[in-house]
Every structure is written in C-alpha cells, then in structure tokens.
C-alpha cells in the first residue's frame, strides 16, 4: 500500500482513467481510476455485471490454483453478486436484519466497547492506537450486533484481516471464517435472539443465504470500519492543525471522517465488475468477460475531478466521494459504519484530547492489502493524569 496515495494514483492517472493491471502477478484485469468512468461502471449494471460467475478467466479455467484472492471473486448467494429482483430481495432482508437492532442500543454498545478499550490502556499514557483500539473496536461492536459469543471475536478479527491482506494464509482464513459463521447461523436457527443474524433468518433467508450474507457483512463491516477508524486516528495524531482546530471547535469529528473518506479511502479497490459485452470505455477496449477493479481511492483522487485543493476546501458535507460506492450495489449500511467510527473516534478524542505521535518521526507502515488502506500500527502518547481528570466529567453511558 503506497505511503502517499495522492502521488501514487496521480502517476497512474497519467496513463488515463482505465489502466491494465495484473492481480497477484498473473491474473489480468482493468483498474478503473477515473472518477467519471468509475461512476459510469458502478451505475451501469447491464454492461458491467456484479456477477463474477461471468468472468472469462474462470469460464476458461485459467484461474491459478490456490490463488489468494479467490475468496473475493467466488460467487456467493448474497446481495453482492445478485442482480435484479434477487438483489432487491437479499438487500431488503439485510436491511430488515439491521432493523432488528435499534440505533439507541447500537450506539450505547459502541460507547461501552470504546470506554472498555480505552480503560485498558489509558493509565499507561501510550498505546498502539491501531492494534489496541481501531482494530478491536469494530470487531467487538459487530460481534455484539451479530450475536456472536464474545470468545469468537478474536477469530473474526484475525481471519478477516488476513483475508483482506490477500497473501499467504488468506485461503485458510477464509475457511476458518466460513466455519465460524456457519456454526453461528446454525446456533441462531436453534436459539433465536435479538440480533442481526436472527433478523436475517426471520426476514426469510435460508441458512445458506444467511451464512453468505453474514460472510459479506463481516468482511465489509470489519474491513471498512476498522480502516476508517484507524486512518482517522492517524490524521488526529499526525496533524497538529487538525488537533488545534478540534480543540477550538473549528472542526468536528465528522469533518475529519469525511476528509479520510476523500484522501485515505478505507476501501481502496472493489473487486469488481464483469463486462457483459465488448465496450469502448473512454478509449479503452474492454472485452466481454473482462474483470474491472473499481478503484474508489483512485477515483476520489482523480485530478480531473478537481484535485486535492477542491476536495479538502469543503469536505464537511461534501459527500460526492465514492467511498460508499454508487448505483444499486452501493453500501447498504452507511449509518452503521458512521456510528461506529464517529462514536469510536469521538470517544477517543474526548478522553485523550492531547494524543500525539510518541515519535513524531516514525514512519507509518501500511498493511499489504490492495482492498483496504490501514496502518499496521500507530504508537501514540498522552498525559494519563489529564485523561483521568477528563473521564470524571463524562456522563454515564446511555445518558
């Protein structure tokens, strides 16, 4: 993952809005980095299908054995790969499952988890804010929302991050995650609870559809919200001007979150769309059966769209980025993601408002994933006495 996305994608944009690439060294695809072109592909479900079963590479039997990205291109019975009325049905069931958990209960759980995590390291005056907070926070919250036993949170966290990295161990992680999900769905079929998995089953999904929907929800939910939270923490810890503005109420946490969505898009690439016919895509001939990778990060950093200055001058409320996708398959749960990140980052800032890099010269190492952008770790420090004083002024959870 490039340290400076703007420079990296800026160089790619010299080649045009559609760039030929090879995934994991051997598998051909098109990387769509132009903002307008990415929007076009996302919205045109007729010429660019989400059904990866139409991919020419798999139809011809050319996919390498044990390919680490295979779980991300294998068709499943969930809303990600469906189209038409089937997509409407599966997406509707997901939203019904989401409604099974009320917003007030959800937000209270996020605050409880956030405070528990902060309490575990606040007195030390330093922490790896990624490994000790940004990563376990969404995992713990989604574990509760989906109704998993707490002891399975570690399995979900380890498996999802390994799977998203796409390297060695990805296929084994996929198997471990699938088995854990399958056991939980069978558990909820026998023992219904007030959680999202029970909601999916009550909405009429079969066990297999529920398993595949849960696989998608966990990967997308943990991957996106973890990366978003981590990247917001990077911005708060690194940028002195942002911290000063926040202390003076000139900039709020949602504005910081919006800036991250533009410049450090959590979900970098979406795999993908399949061309259903030969098409001239802004001067590039894309053949029927070709795979297109939608670079949400590249599109958000497209200089033809206006460049960094135009975006960051008014990020607050500027939702024209593509971090949520677009069209029929855009993110179905933005409110859940926003709640986890806004409450999580806001709680950390409220309690640790003097947070800063332990070593200002430290070089951030980014995870080796083409799908999500997030740092391996971020070592930060604060005054524990100041944090304890601030904690005494906070209202009890739920008030």
């Amino acid at each position: 993952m490039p340290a400076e996305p703007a420079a990296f994608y800026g160089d790619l944009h010299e080649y045009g809005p559609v760039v030929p690439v090879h995934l994991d060294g051997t598998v051909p695809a098109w990387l769509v980095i132009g903002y307008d072109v990415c929007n076009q592909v996302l919205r045109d479900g007729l010429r660019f299908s989400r059904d990866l079963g139409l991919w020419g590479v798999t139809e011809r039997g050319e996919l390498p054995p044990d390919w680490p990205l295979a779980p991300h291109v294998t068709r499943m019975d969930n809303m990600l790969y469906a189209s038409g009325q089937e997509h409407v049905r599966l997406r509707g069931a997901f939203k019904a499952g989401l409604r099974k958990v009320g917003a007030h209960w959800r937000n209270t759980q996020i605050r409880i988890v956030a405070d528990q995590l902060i309490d575990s390291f606040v007195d030390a005056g330093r922490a790896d804010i990624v490994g000790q907070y940004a990563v376990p926070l969404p995992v713990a919250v989604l574990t509760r929302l989906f109704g998993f036993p707490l002891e399975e949170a570690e399995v979900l966290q380890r498996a999802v991050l390994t799977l998203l990295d796409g390297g060695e161990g990805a296929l084994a992680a996929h198997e471990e995650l699938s088995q854990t999900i399958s056991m939980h769905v069978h558990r909820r079929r026998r023992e219904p609870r007030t959680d999202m998995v029970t909601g999916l089953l009550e909405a009429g999904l079969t066990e297999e559809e529920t398993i595949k929907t849960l696989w998608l929800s966990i990967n997308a939910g943990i991957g996106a919200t973890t990366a978003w939270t981590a990247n917001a923490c990077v911005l708060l810890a690194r940028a002195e001007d942002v911290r000063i503005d926040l202390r003076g109420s000139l900039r709020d946490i949602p504005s910081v979150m919006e800036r991250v969505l533009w410049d450090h898009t959590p979900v970098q690439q979406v795999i993908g769309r399949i061309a259903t016919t030969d098409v001239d895509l802004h001067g590039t001939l894309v053949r029927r059966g070709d795979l297109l990778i939608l670079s949400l990060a590249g599109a958000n950093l497209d200089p033809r769209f206006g460049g960094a200055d135009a975006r960051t001058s008014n990020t607050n409320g500027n939702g024209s980025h593509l971090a949520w996708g677009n069209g029929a398959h855009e993110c179905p749960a933005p409110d859940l993601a926003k709640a986890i990140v806004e409450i999580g980052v806001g709680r950390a800032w409220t309690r640790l408002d003097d947070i800063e890099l332990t070593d200002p010269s430290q070089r951030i190492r980014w995870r080796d994933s083409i799908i999500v952008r997030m740092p391996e770790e971020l070592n930060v420090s604060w005054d524990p006495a100041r944090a304890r004083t601030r904690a005494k002024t906070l209202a009890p959870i739920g008030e």
Side-chain angles (χ1 to χ4, degrees):
M1 184 57 60
E4 299 297 336
F8 174 78
Y9 290 108
D11 290 341
L12 282 184
H13 279 290
E14 295 295 325
Y15 292 92
V18 183
V19 181
V21 295
H22 283 84
L23 297 176
D24 204 51
T26 59
V27 179
W30 298 102
L31 185 67
V32 182
I33 59 175
Y35 181 87
D36 291 337
V37 188
C38 206
N39 254 322
Q40 176 186 341
V41 174
L42 287 168
R43 291 172 174 170
D44 189 346
L46 293 178
R47 291 191 299 172
F48 305 102
S49 174
R50 196 63 185 85
D51 184 356
L52 293 180
L54 303 175
W55 189 16
V57 167
T58 55
E59 284 185 339
R60 296 188 296 270
E62 297 173 354
L63 197 66
D66 300 327
W67 194 52
L69 291 176
H72 301 286
V73 297
T74 302
R75 195 188 189 287
M76 295 184 182
D77 293 328
N78 60 36
M79 59 185 169
L80 186 64
Y81 299 101
S83 59
Q85 288 304 308
E86 182 68 0
H87 175 256
V88 172
R89 180 181 72 86
L90 293 171
R91 190 178 176 97
F94 174 81
K95 288 184 173 292
L98 198 59
R99 289 193 295 270
K100 185 77 174 180
V101 180
H104 177 74
W105 185 88
R106 174 201 69 194
N107 293 349
T108 299
Q109 295 304 306
I110 298 171
R111 292 188 185 96
I112 290 173
V113 171
D115 275 341
Q116 288 175 341
L117 290 171
I118 295 171
D119 287 343
S120 70
F121 56 67
V122 65
D123 288 338
R126 61 175 57 203
D128 168 15
I129 201 68
V130 173
Q132 294 177 253
Y133 190 70
V135 171
L137 174 68
V139 174
V141 170
L142 291 175
T143 295
R144 296 180 182 213
L145 298 185
F146 293 131
F148 281 92
L150 294 180
E151 60 268 19
E152 293 180 0
E154 184 178 348
V155 175
L156 299 180
Q157 177 176 312
R158 180 181 65 254
V160 169
L161 293 180
T162 302
L163 185 59
L164 290 173
D165 284 346
E168 184 178 351
L171 296 181
H174 170 61
E175 288 300 321
E176 182 179 32
L177 180 63
S178 297
Q179 290 175 7
T180 303
I181 290 173
S182 180
M183 288 189 299
H184 181 53
V185 172
H186 294 327
R187 179 191 300 138
R188 279 295 167 264
R189 173 67 78 181
R190 298 190 307 268
E191 304 170 3
R193 294 287 189 274
T194 306
D195 58 40
M196 284 186 61
V197 176
T198 300
L200 291 173
L201 293 167
E202 290 179 348
L205 295 191
T206 65
E207 284 197 20
E208 185 62 22
E209 289 172 337
T210 302
I211 290 169
K212 301 309 182 185
T213 297
L214 192 53
W215 187 96
L216 168 63
S217 303
I218 289 173
N219 275 283
I222 291 178
T225 54
T226 295
W228 194 5
T229 302
N231 294 346
C233 288
V234 170
L235 185 58
L236 288 176
R238 293 180 75 182
E240 182 63 30
D241 61 327
V242 172
R243 297 200 302 276
I244 291 173
D245 285 354
L246 277 171
R247 291 191 189 104
S249 299
L250 301 179
R251 186 195 301 270
D252 54 10
I253 292 297
S255 296
V256 173
M257 293 165 56
E258 200 77 21
R259 180 169 166 184
V260 169
L261 292 180
W262 276 108
D263 296 340
H264 302 278
T265 312
V267 178
Q268 296 274 286
Q269 337 290 345
V270 173
I271 307 175
R273 297 291 189 274
I274 305 297
T276 60
T277 185
D278 292 354
V279 58
D280 185 332
L281 194 59
H282 288 248
T284 297
L285 178 59
V286 175
R287 296 289 188 182
R288 176 186 175 277
D290 283 359
L291 172 65
L292 295 97
I293 308 299
L294 287 308
S295 179
L296 309 183
N300 287 343
L301 293 168
D302 185 353
R304 298 175 183 83
F305 179 61
D309 291 340
R311 291 189 307 274
T312 58
S313 62
N314 185 26
T315 55
N316 189 17
N318 184 353
S320 57
H321 55 73
L322 295 181
W324 303 113
N326 207 338
H329 285 274
E330 67 182 356
C331 175
D335 290 342
L336 172 58
K338 289 176 182 177
I340 293 174
V341 180
E342 183 171 351
I343 294 172
V345 175
R347 203 70 179 175
W349 176 253
T350 297
R351 297 188 58 180
L352 312 172
D353 75 325
D354 58 340
I355 190 173
E356 61 184 359
L357 294 177
T358 301
D359 177 5
S361 65
Q362 70 173 288
R363 184 175 182 179
I364 296 177
R365 293 182 297 108
W366 299 91
R367 293 190 72 93
D368 188 18
S369 171
I370 68 167
I371 298 175
V372 297
R373 173 178 175 78
M374 61 177 291
E376 289 275 6
E377 63 179 7
L378 187 72
N379 296 312
V380 298
S381 304
W382 58 88
D383 180 355
R386 178 185 176 92
R388 285 192 294 270
T389 299
R390 291 179 65 82
K392 294 177 182 178
T393 68
L394 297 178
I397 296 295
E399 293 190 4

